[in-house]
Amino acid sequence: MTTSERSLTRIQKRNRAAILEAALDVFSQNGFRGATVDQIAKAAGLSKPNLLYYFPSKEEIFTALLSQLLDSWLAPLRDLNADGEPLEEILQYTRRKLEMSREMPRESRLFANELVQGAPRMIDQLSTDLRVLVDDTVMIFETWMTEGKLARVHPRHLLFSIWSLTQHYADFDVQVRTLMAPDGPMDGAEEFLENLYRKMLTPAN
Amino acid sequence: MTTSERSLTRIQKRNRAAILEAALDVFSQNGFRGATVDQIAKAAGLSKPNLLYYFPSKEEIFTALLSQLLDSWLAPLRDLNADGEPLEEILQYTRRKLEMSREMPRESRLFANELVQGAPRMIDQLSTDLRVLVDDTVMIFETWMTEGKLARVHPRHLLFSIWSLTQHYADFDVQVRTLMAPDGPMDGAEEFLENLYRKMLTPAN
DNA sequence: CGTGAGTTTGACCAGTTGGTCAAATGTTCC
DNA sequence: GGAACATTTGACCAACTGGTCAAACTCACG
């Protein structure tokens, strides 16, 4: 946030929020380059010059949106409790990520879109914030494994697997939907994932 | 293929191939809308009008590329042998998909880009060709499970899991690379996946 | 070689897009 | 009620983009 929340007019608050909401819609559907400022403006119920009165450029809308979303996107991982029961913590995290695929598919696709094109506007945050968070998580995983509370697997690939197995349902929704029909796209997904991680991660005695 | 391979000039063959190769590069990096005809032309070593002499439009380049690639992309799945040893067949398939992520990341990203944006130019093939192939595969999986040669899991989610766990490494390469450094992005991936599928799919006795 | 078909190109066009600007309209607050 | 400030808009612009076209050039082949 460049401007402090306090100094914002009633109208500024409403319009900035509407713009970011509209931008999420449009960017997640079309990617950065595929989205037009006009589309976003229309979706936000503003004229293009009016939108550009609130954000100086398309680029700025996008980065504002990214930094606003990244935090909440990563929150479940931060909530991982090192003192909890390892397998249950991981299952809980997986469930939350799967739920986010269902409830926040636009956010998932926004990141997917950006990542698949090399994440030109995200690399900095990836290599700092996310990297740190992942390193911390990996240490937790390793402690659990050393203590014999979790089967030994590569901790980073474990994390990737959770991300890809859950976000897949949001990012490639069209494909999943097509191939699951007439069932709903996520029918049975939770059971599948719970079984997968239980079998893989339950320590051998 | 609209034109039969036979009736093509030496030059036509060379240039059409160069264009498709260049198009794979450009489309996979930028998505359909993000790619410009000029970029593709330059990458193919042609002028824009010259490129448009071989393909009538950007759209046509893209669809030609898609239909050319989809077959080879799905080949490993077609090769699944219903009479083979179930677990080994699946591990073999997983290994091949992982190898394709390493060796053909552009193809993977091309499809990912398209799918994440709702696959407007692929839906037909998804709901016909791919759907049939998946249905066939599901039947094989179900036979194996009924015979007790494979632990019972949701067959469609099993397939999705293989796709997402392997293609992840190509599609989100930037992220994986950043978070795996200083190790190579795919170090340990094969072992991780083999362990995962063995543990999940080995039938309980 | 020369001729007709195949290939290449520069110039061009119309539509789209990100962004600007001055003027008009609203809002706030004394 | 009006001055100062915030918001909104229509008109506009330059850059980019997909695509066209006629003219020039190159190549295969008799």
Side-chain angles (χ1 to χ4, degrees):
Chain A
M1 293 289 151
T2 49
T3 319
S4 80
E5 286 281 334
R6 282 279 151 243
S7 70
L8 293 180
T9 313
R10 174 180 54 90
I11 298 178
Q12 275 168 359
K13 265 186 221 164
R14 169 171 45 84
N15 283 348
R16 287 183 63 101
I19 290 169
L20 289 175
E21 165 65 24
L24 175 55
D25 242 56
V26 175
F27 280 133
S28 69
Q29 249 174 68
N30 307 102
F32 180 79
R33 200 157 189 294
T36 76
V37 176
D38 243 335
Q39 277 179 317
I40 300 173
K42 206 153 283 176
L46 301 173
S47 65
K48 184 169 63 162
N50 197 9
L51 180 148
L52 289 167
Y53 169 73
Y54 292 99
F55 289 89
S57 70
K58 182 178 166 184
E59 192 82 37
E60 292 266 335
I61 304 172
F62 193 78
T63 55
L65 188 59
L66 271 191
S67 70
Q68 189 206 258
L69 293 179
L70 196 58
D71 259 358
S72 71
W73 193 244
L74 295 178
L77 189 53
R78 291 189 212 279
D79 289 351
L80 209 73
N81 178 8
D83 299 325
E85 212 286 300
L87 186 54
E88 287 309 317
E89 286 293 320
I90 288 175
L91 287 176
Q92 169 74 5
Y93 176 57
T94 305
R95 255 180 259 120
R96 282 190 67 183
K97 288 293 289 177
L98 189 63
E99 189 192 323
M100 287 171 81
S101 255
R102 199 187 341 246
E103 307 296 333
M104 309 165 69
R106 295 177 304 170
E107 285 82 347
S108 191
R109 278 194 282 269
L110 183 81
F111 292 123
N113 245 315
E114 190 61 10
L115 281 176
V116 96
Q117 294 186 16
R121 298 164 199 85
M122 279 183 68
I123 289 193
D124 289 353
Q125 294 214 289
L126 287 189
S127 54
T128 54
D129 301 2
L130 181 57
R131 172 79 207 207
V132 168
L133 179 56
V134 165
D135 286 351
D136 288 354
T137 307
V138 165
M139 283 198 53
I140 297 179
F141 286 173
E142 275 170 346
T143 306
W144 287 344
M145 292 175 196
T146 303
E147 292 170 343
K149 293 175 178 170
L150 212 58
R152 206 160 257 299
V153 301
H154 192 301
R156 285 169 204 268
H157 290 300
L158 172 57
L159 208 42
F160 298 155
S161 78
I162 299 175
W163 293 347
S164 66
L165 286 173
T166 55
Q167 292 174 14
H168 180 260
Y169 291 99
D171 300 345
F172 303 140
D173 177 69
V174 202
Q175 180 172 251
V176 173
R177 204 172 284 277
T178 304
L179 301 177
M180 284 293 287
D183 290 350
M186 297 177 73
D187 289 3
E190 190 174 332
E191 295 76 8
F192 178 86
L193 292 180
E194 169 151 359
N195 173 58
L196 187 161
Y197 284 113
R198 276 195 194 286
K199 290 237 176 92
M200 175 169 61
L201 296 177
T202 299
N205 275 333
Chain B
M1 293 288 151
T2 48
T3 320
S4 80
E5 287 279 335
R6 283 279 151 241
S7 70
L8 293 180
T9 313
R10 176 178 53 90
I11 299 180
Q12 273 169 0
K13 265 185 221 164
R14 169 169 48 84
N15 283 349
R16 286 182 65 99
I19 290 169
L20 289 174
E21 165 66 23
L24 175 55
D25 241 56
V26 176
F27 280 133
S28 69
Q29 249 173 69
N30 307 102
F32 180 78
R33 201 157 188 292
T36 75
V37 177
D38 243 334
Q39 277 179 317
I40 300 173
K42 206 152 285 174
L46 301 174
S47 66
K48 184 169 63 163
N50 197 10
L51 180 148
L52 289 168
Y53 170 72
Y54 291 99
F55 289 89
S57 70
K58 180 179 166 184
E59 193 81 36
E60 293 266 336
I61 303 172
F62 192 78
T63 54
L65 189 58
L66 270 191
S67 69
Q68 188 206 262
L69 292 179
L70 196 58
D71 259 357
S72 72
W73 194 243
L74 296 179
L77 189 53
R78 291 189 213 280
D79 289 351
L80 210 72
N81 178 8
D83 299 325
E85 212 287 300
L87 186 53
E88 288 309 318
E89 285 293 321
I90 288 175
L91 288 177
Q92 169 74 5
Y93 175 57
T94 305
R95 254 179 260 119
R96 281 191 67 183
K97 287 293 289 177
L98 191 62
E99 188 192 324
M100 287 171 81
S101 255
R102 199 186 341 246
E103 308 296 333
M104 309 166 67
R106 294 176 306 171
E107 285 81 345
S108 190
R109 278 195 282 268
L110 183 82
F111 292 123
N113 245 315
E114 189 62 10
L115 281 175
V116 98
Q117 294 185 18
R121 299 164 197 86
M122 279 182 68
I123 290 192
D124 289 352
Q125 294 213 288
L126 287 188
S127 54
T128 54
D129 301 0
L130 182 57
R131 173 77 205 207
V132 169
L133 179 56
V134 165
D135 286 349
D136 289 352
T137 308
V138 165
M139 284 199 51
I140 297 178
F141 286 172
E142 274 169 348
T143 307
W144 286 344
M145 291 175 197
T146 303
E147 291 171 344
K149 293 176 178 169
L150 211 59
R152 205 160 259 299
V153 300
H154 193 300
R156 285 168 204 269
H157 291 299
L158 172 57
L159 208 43
F160 298 155
S161 78
I162 298 175
W163 293 347
S164 67
L165 287 173
T166 54
Q167 292 173 12
H168 179 260
Y169 291 98
D171 300 345
F172 302 140
D173 177 68
V174 201
Q175 181 173 248
V176 173
R177 203 171 284 278
T178 303
L179 300 177
M180 283 294 286
D183 290 351
M186 297 177 72
D187 289 3
E190 190 174 330
E191 295 77 8
F192 178 86
L193 292 180
E194 169 151 1
N195 175 58
L196 187 161
Y197 284 113
R198 276 195 194 285
K199 290 238 177 91
M200 175 168 62
L201 296 178
T202 298
N205 275 332

